[in-house]
Amino acid sequence: MGEIYSSTKQVSAWLGLGDAKSDKAVDFVEMLFKEIQDMKWRGSQPTLTPLMASAPRLRTFLPEMQRERKWDALSFLLRNTWFERVWVMQEVIMACSQIAADARPEDHTLLSFEKRTISFDKLAEVLAILERDHLVLNLIYDRENSDGTKDQGTDPPGVNALRLFSSFRELRDQTVPVRLSTALDRSWRFKATNPRDKLYAVMGFCDDCADPRLRPNYDANIEDIYQVWTTVLLERPHEHALPLPMAGVGLRRSQPKLPSWVPDYSSGSYEVQATPTTARGGQGEKFRASGIENKLEVSVDCSSASIKLKVIPIDTIEVLFPQPSATETQSSRWYIAFKSLSMTPEKAKYIALIEWLGTIESYLETFSADGTRGQSQIKEILAQTLAGSYPTEGAAPDSYLSEVFECWFQAHRELSGKDKSGVSTSMSRTEDFYDKIQVFEDLKAIALQDRPVFGTRQRRLLGHGPKGLMVGDTMCIVKGAVTPFLFRPFVGSQEAGSNEERKWNLVGPCFVHGLMYGEGLDMGDWMEIVVV
């Protein structure tokens, strides 16, 4: 199919019949795109930030945007199920790829409703500017799961899809090979009716699928297919030790018979996307928890369905800090209510969240391995752990994160009674102040969705990991991996005399402040463990 799409002159993807809401979203994108083009024509850097202010030339737009809820319409468009289907990846990525990029017509890839169409390139460019300007937070929503639970502060699927499609199209236009491991890692959230297609659908635009063990076989057992594919990937040299970050019993898994080190590619678990290997927006550096050398040292034993890894045990989880539910805090976007309360929030509504932060603060204030922590260090740990884990290699969080965190932190201290004097004089109680609080709250919701915050027993480290982690899980540096990992003794091997003699289940990757840049290499010696 990839070859068919690549030879086309135009591809039109059907998104459904459409309605007034989709029409409104298309109009909104066209308006934003026109603004971007006008800025380019004037020679200025394109930005959509003025749309959130009341600049004179845009004042006529703002009342219309607020009255007709165009942000909601755009968010609804980006939640269209088309953006979640794994087979559509090759439709967009391979479309017209045999035509040189600079020779393709502007509308070579169209997203179509019954009466309206929109160019994929226009929508992708608008979303890229919104992300760069931190305006994509206006599109988040509370995603309902099949089990009735909600993931708060979730990006619409179309945001991730447009980002992914654009990046892979750029690679193909530059004739850069697309690796299978990268495609699987990036396509994790997409859905397929047949679980086998979570693997087979990406072969149409990847360049390293010649291994005969990867040949599509719809008669084979799903667990066997997943294990064979994982074995092939682990046999290859990988910069980021894939596919281990996608595996683990701590993630949502619908194939219970899989070994813990084999990803359940059918799950579409959101936790995988919450442990970034690089900073948001390209800031900072890649994580390198196991040092500069990132070649995974692993041996696979197919007969016993196990692997051997070299690890440094660091610590065990002592305490979990479960986040308050939406019902306890009334709303996932609860700071928006501040503006309608004369800037005075009703403390009783938010007591659960205040107590949650207070508990984490108290934990961090206790003695660490190096002595007591100062207030500035506690704030840095909180900011980087709770809001996206920006890699800054020991430096303070970037200025934007630091600014919005300071507003959020000060507001919580006020509400908890720890800061009787109120906010500092440099931060007046304006709408902008509460907007910044909301920005950090949204960043936190995205970073920590389905990821409990935990503290460790001996070194008093703070981190977050997959939903299924437990008190007692062992945190390790894995040789060749960019993040630490959590492991749990395999049932029946807990009584073994030493860690080397035990068999382990992989729980999943984790973010731990103070371990992301090789600091753990001086905290113990390498040992070999068996993971089943």
Side-chain angles (χ1 to χ4, degrees):
M1 289 298 294
E3 294 181 3
I4 295 175
Y5 286 117
S6 67
S7 63
T8 58
K9 294 183 178 179
Q10 186 182 63
V11 171
S12 181
W14 175 250
L15 271 63
L17 294 174
D19 53 21
K21 211 167 191 177
S22 59
D23 290 346
K24 195 178 300 180
V26 171
D27 291 338
F28 188 33
V29 172
E30 294 286 358
M31 183 194 82
L32 297 179
F33 184 75
K34 184 177 183 301
E35 287 293 316
I36 292 171
Q37 297 306 112
D38 288 347
M39 293 176 197
K40 288 182 177 179
W41 183 81
R42 293 193 299 270
S44 58
Q45 176 73 16
T47 176
L48 295 173
T49 301
L51 290 176
M52 300 301 290
S54 52
R57 75 182 188 85
L58 293 175
R59 279 180 184 152
T60 56
F61 288 142
L62 280 173
E64 180 186 4
M65 287 166 55
Q66 293 168 349
R67 183 175 64 252
E68 299 189 11
R69 303 177 65 82
K70 290 191 174 182
W71 289 108
D72 289 345
L74 179 54
S75 177
F76 186 77
L77 168 64
L78 295 171
R79 283 178 256 161
N80 188 291
T81 56
W82 181 86
F83 290 106
E84 299 183 85
R85 291 160 44 201
V86 69
W87 279 108
V88 307
M89 296 176 66
Q90 59 181 342
E91 288 183 35
V92 179
I93 295 169
M94 298 300 294
C96 315
S97 57
Q98 292 185 13
I99 304 174
D102 56 357
R104 293 177 201 150
E106 184 183 85
D107 59 350
H108 65 87
T109 305
L110 296 175
L111 308 181
S112 303
F113 296 100
E114 184 179 34
K115 297 180 180 179
R116 301 292 301 274
T117 61
I118 184 171
S119 164
F120 170 86
D121 286 346
K122 286 185 179 180
L123 183 58
E125 184 169 358
V126 167
L127 260 293
I129 301 296
L130 290 177
E131 283 203 281
R132 191 194 65 197
D133 291 348
H134 303 289
L135 297 179
V136 76
L137 292 172
N138 292 284
L139 305 174
I140 68 172
Y141 72 111
D142 294 344
R143 182 174 63 94
E144 293 190 12
N145 299 314
S146 56
D147 58 4
T149 61
K150 286 186 177 182
D151 291 328
Q152 299 177 20
T154 304
D155 287 338
V159 174
N160 174 64
L162 288 162
R163 186 191 308 123
L164 183 149
F165 296 163
S166 299
S167 64
F168 278 128
R169 281 170 61 137
E170 184 177 351
L171 288 176
R172 297 210 66 88
D173 288 343
Q174 297 172 353
T175 65
V176 176
V178 177
R179 296 194 310 172
L180 186 61
S181 58
T182 303
L184 290 174
D185 179 46
R186 301 285 303 280
S187 64
W188 192 262
R189 294 188 182 186
F190 290 83
K191 298 178 181 179
T193 303
N194 189 321
R196 300 167 181 81
D197 287 333
K198 288 295 294 286
L199 304 178
Y200 297 153
V202 302
M203 298 179 73
F205 60 91
C206 293
D207 299 290
D208 57 349
C209 302
D211 193 309
R213 290 175 291 177
L214 303 180
R215 188 172 298 136
N217 181 0
Y218 285 92
D219 294 325
N221 180 278
I222 294 173
E223 289 86 354
D224 291 342
I225 294 172
Y226 285 7
Q227 185 170 330
V228 167
W229 274 61
T230 303
T231 300
V232 171
L233 294 174
L234 288 175
E235 289 174 351
R236 300 175 176 180
H238 290 286
E239 184 181 0
H240 299 308
L242 291 171
L244 285 190
M246 300 185 288
V249 296
L251 303 177
R252 295 174 187 166
R253 292 164 77 86
S254 56
Q255 308 293 333
K257 295 182 181 180
L258 286 173
S260 67
W261 53 273
V262 176
D264 183 354
Y265 300 98
S266 66
S267 71
S269 177
Y270 272 60
E271 301 103 311
V272 174
Q273 301 293 335
T275 304
T277 55
T278 57
R280 292 181 188 277
Q283 304 176 53
E285 244 180 276
K286 291 179 180 178
F287 292 145
R288 50 175 191 276
S290 64
I292 300 296
E293 183 62 42
N294 281 326
K295 290 184 179 180
L296 181 67
E297 291 196 20
V298 57
S299 59
V300 182
D301 185 346
C302 295
S303 61
S304 63
S306 65
I307 61 173
K308 290 183 179 180
L309 297 171
K310 288 188 176 180
V311 304
I312 299 177
I314 301 296
D315 209 342
T316 57
I317 294 179
E318 179 184 46
V319 59
L320 301 180
F321 303 103
Q323 296 183 73
S325 66
T327 56
E328 290 174 302
T329 57
Q330 303 298 316
S331 168
S332 62
R333 295 177 63 80
W334 50 280
Y335 276 115
I336 291 179
F338 282 15
K339 298 176 185 177
S340 62
L341 295 170
S342 301
M343 305 302 181
T344 305
E346 299 174 21
K347 179 176 176 178
K349 284 187 179 180
Y350 317 115
I351 190 67
L353 195 54
I354 296 167
E355 290 177 347
W356 178 74
L357 179 62
T359 303
I360 297 177
E361 273 195 87
S362 298
Y363 169 83
L364 292 174
E365 287 169 354
T366 59
F367 282 90
S368 67
D370 303 316
T372 56
R373 292 187 173 103
Q375 186 65 27
S376 61
Q377 187 180 6
I378 289 175
K379 289 166 72 173
E380 178 188 339
I381 294 171
L382 284 170
Q384 295 190 30
T385 304
L386 301 184
S389 317
Y390 283 72
T392 55
E393 200 168 15
D398 66 76
S399 58
Y400 178 74
L401 177 63
S402 181
E403 183 179 0
V404 296
F405 171 77
E406 189 65 30
C407 295
W408 183 87
F409 186 76
Q410 284 283 357
H412 278 80
R413 291 187 69 82
E414 249 187 276
L415 290 172
S416 64
K418 289 186 176 181
D419 189 352
K420 302 293 185 182
S421 62
V423 296
S424 62
T425 55
S426 62
M427 292 186 293
S428 60
R429 279 181 169 276
T430 63
E431 286 204 15
D432 180 60
F433 173 74
Y434 291 100
D435 285 340
K436 289 174 181 176
I437 295 175
Q438 184 63 57
V439 167
F440 188 85
E441 183 66 22
D442 290 339
L443 286 171
K444 179 176 73 70
I446 293 171
L448 298 185
Q449 59 184 4
D450 273 354
R451 294 184 65 81
V453 178
F454 64 81
T456 67
R457 180 168 295 143
Q458 295 179 334
R459 301 182 183 276
R460 316 299 283 179
L461 300 171
L462 189 71
H464 55 76
K467 188 175 184 178
L469 61 81
M470 297 180 181
V471 170
D473 286 346
T474 299
M475 180 175 61
C476 298
I477 301 299
V478 176
K479 194 163 190 178
V482 296
T483 68
F485 279 79
L486 295 170
F487 295 88
R488 184 179 303 156
F490 178 65
V491 175
S493 69
Q494 293 97 326
E495 304 303 323
S498 65
N499 286 336
E500 291 95 332
E501 295 172 340
R502 292 178 177 176
K503 292 182 179 179
W504 297 83
N505 272 336
L506 174 65
V507 177
C510 59
F511 171 89
V512 182
H513 185 274
L515 286 183
M516 307 309 292
Y517 295 100
E519 301 93 330
L521 298 177
D522 298 324
M523 297 182 184
D525 299 320
W526 293 107
M527 55 176 275
E528 190 172 70
I529 64 171
V530 177
V531 182
V532 294

